[in-house]
Amino acid sequence: MFSKLNAWLHLWLGLITGIVVLVVSLTGCVYVFVDEIKAVVYEDRLFVTPAEDGRKPLSEMLDNAGAALGPEYEISRCDLFPAPDRSWVFRAMDVDPDGIGHWNYFRYYYRVYVNPYTAEVIRVEDTRNEFFQLILSLHMNLLLGKKAGHYVVGYSVLIFVFLLLSGFVLWWPRKWNLRTLKQSLKVKWNARFKRLNYDLHNVWGFYILIPALVLAVTGLVYTFSWVENTLYVTFSGGGEKPEKHIPVSHPAKDDSLHTLDLALIDVLDRFPGADMVSIRFRSSETAPYDFQVRKEKGRTYHFDWSYYDRGTGDFLWSYDTADLNTAQKVRAMNFDLHVGSFMGLGSKILMFVVSLICASLPVTGFLIWYNRTWKKKKPGKA
């Protein structure tokens, strides 16, 4: 009874969520190497020629980026790169006083690329029509928005976790001997299509079980708060999340942008080898300037978060990966695990292959069902 129920659920839940898993997996394949692809495709906006005079003040770049957009948009973040040949990127979203939001999950509608040596705007990018942003939106919400698509993807991935585990049960040999073990662990490449398709579904599904579960669970963290809370309780031994006490800043003065320049200079002096520094521009007058420093290329796990006074530009407080408990470190590693950057290029290639096989599972599973149920046998010769 259990085996029949498991097989029935595996079949029909797989058929119901197959299209979503296919789209999410294929877009995940693309996004694993998004930084490398962008470096080639968007070379004209990502890279600049260094100048001997040095970089212009951040406040001047911020003014120019705002002028290029107009008053209907507000800049909320800047991603700057200490590397001498990189442009700096300002992110902006439309003013939304009613909190209605938009179909785009991130609400970042524009990116403004600025040459840090001249403070000139290189390009204004509408992310609603930008290819890689569309790929990301497909991956996260099927272009249906956060309220609908985000949860369609989330519940489909949750079902996919069940399918991985139920597939493992179906894979488990009834008798353990050399013959059954060989059939369960080896793809018979010279077999007929039906057998080859079955092996690709059954055998490859077994081999990617663990990394596919990692991809799925780390993705679910971004959809369901209970998944994140469960992971925290698991890795903290039932402990509660400690509260972060963000320091209060003096209100910004008329020359507050000058204090922003001073704060940035101090951050770059403290972390000369940083890969990227992200600055959030908060609307509250007493919210400090906050700088998130990514210490290693492509990895968010190794970070420092520093806070500076708006009124004076003085350093207030910071914390980094070493200050986190075990559960917080697991959460900080979530993004790197999800995109495969946790061990550099090798882990990226691994997750690319795993995502590609995940995309194939709904296809091979559908063909197994089709061949068994609907495909008519050709009539024999008279």
Side-chain angles (χ1 to χ4, degrees):
M1 176 64 76
F2 171 78
S3 298
K4 290 182 178 180
L5 178 62
N6 181 67
W8 186 85
L9 290 173
H10 187 86
L11 168 63
W12 290 106
L13 290 177
L15 291 174
I16 292 171
T17 61
I19 294 296
V20 178
V21 172
L22 177 65
V23 172
V24 170
S25 299
L26 289 178
T27 51
C29 288
V30 175
Y31 221 79
V32 165
F33 293 105
V34 65
D35 291 335
E36 291 80 2
I37 299 173
K38 278 187 173 183
V40 177
V41 178
Y42 293 158
E43 182 180 4
D44 58 335
R45 70 188 76 171
L46 291 177
F47 297 95
V48 298
T49 302
E52 296 180 358
D53 296 338
R55 298 184 178 96
K56 296 291 185 178
L58 174 62
S59 56
E60 183 178 347
M61 300 183 217
L62 181 62
D63 287 340
N64 291 349
L69 290 170
E72 64 270 23
Y73 291 90
E74 56 185 6
I75 295 176
S76 57
R77 174 173 166 175
C78 174
D79 296 330
L80 59 92
F81 299 86
D85 63 341
R86 286 297 304 269
S87 61
W88 292 7
V89 186
F90 293 83
R91 302 192 189 189
M93 54 186 176
D94 63 341
V95 178
D96 185 27
D98 299 325
I100 297 175
H102 197 272
W103 64 270
N104 192 325
Y105 172 69
F106 286 101
R107 288 203 66 229
Y108 286 125
Y109 303 153
Y110 287 89
R111 291 190 183 97
V112 183
Y113 296 83
V114 177
N115 187 327
Y117 298 100
T118 63
E120 295 178 352
V121 174
I122 300 173
R123 187 181 183 91
V124 178
E125 177 185 273
D126 186 347
T127 61
R128 289 169 295 184
N129 302 318
E130 193 269 325
F131 174 76
F132 295 102
Q133 187 68 33
L134 290 174
I135 291 293
L136 183 59
S137 295
L138 268 173
H139 183 74
M140 298 195 70
N141 55 49
L142 304 177
L143 298 179
L144 299 176
K146 184 175 181 179
K147 290 184 178 180
H150 199 53
Y151 289 99
V152 170
V153 171
Y155 283 110
S156 296
V157 174
L158 191 61
I159 292 173
F160 182 64
V161 171
F162 168 79
L163 292 175
L164 289 170
L165 297 175
S166 64
F168 177 70
V169 174
L170 292 172
W171 170 90
W172 192 267
R174 293 183 178 180
K175 295 182 180 180
W176 283 90
N177 54 52
L178 185 61
R179 180 174 174 272
T180 58
L181 190 61
K182 184 177 179 180
Q183 289 178 345
S184 301
L185 297 176
K186 186 178 179 180
V187 176
K188 193 174 182 180
W189 295 102
N190 60 348
R192 287 188 173 186
F193 176 77
K194 287 184 180 180
R195 172 60 190 274
L196 176 61
N197 180 75
Y198 176 81
D199 282 354
L200 292 177
H201 187 81
N202 191 52
V203 178
W204 281 9
F206 166 74
Y207 281 124
I208 68 161
L209 175 63
I210 300 302
L213 284 172
V214 171
L215 282 177
V217 173
T218 53
L220 290 172
V221 167
Y222 299 111
T223 305
F224 302 110
S225 58
W226 63 265
V227 175
E228 181 176 1
N229 294 335
T230 299
L231 289 175
Y232 188 90
V233 170
T234 301
F235 287 96
S236 67
E240 296 184 357
K241 293 183 180 180
E243 294 184 8
K244 288 188 296 186
H245 299 285
I246 307 301
V248 177
S249 169
H250 291 94
K253 300 178 181 179
D254 294 338
D255 60 346
S256 59
L257 290 180
H258 175 65
T259 61
L260 176 63
D261 294 330
L262 294 177
L264 176 59
I265 291 172
D266 186 65
V267 170
L268 295 178
D269 286 342
R270 291 170 56 213
F271 303 99
D275 175 54
M276 185 179 77
V277 179
S278 293
I279 307 168
R280 272 75 171 178
F281 301 106
R282 311 292 185 184
S283 58
S284 173
E285 292 186 355
T286 58
Y289 296 131
D290 63 84
F291 298 82
Q292 184 182 12
V293 181
R294 190 171 70 186
K295 297 180 180 180
E296 294 187 11
K297 185 176 179 60
R299 296 194 60 185
T300 61
Y301 177 73
H302 298 285
F303 74 92
D304 177 275
W305 211 306
S306 296
Y307 298 87
Y308 287 79
D309 193 283
R310 280 175 176 257
T312 64
D314 294 335
F315 171 77
L316 296 175
W317 178 65
S318 71
Y319 69 95
D320 59 17
T321 311
D323 297 318
L324 305 179
N325 60 36
T326 301
Q328 289 174 315
K329 288 180 179 179
V330 171
R331 178 61 180 87
M333 194 181 292
N334 191 82
F335 180 80
D336 295 342
L337 288 171
H338 191 64
V339 301
S341 62
F342 57 95
M343 292 184 65
L345 180 61
S347 56
K348 279 193 169 189
I349 294 174
L350 170 64
M351 288 308 187
F352 172 84
V353 173
V354 171
S355 295
L356 198 60
I357 296 176
C358 286
S360 74
L361 293 179
V363 178
T364 54
F366 172 81
L367 290 175
I368 291 173
W369 170 74
Y370 176 78
N371 288 326
R372 289 178 176 177
T373 309
W374 295 103
K375 191 173 182 180
K376 296 180 180 180
K377 295 183 178 180
K378 295 181 180 180
K381 293 182 180 180

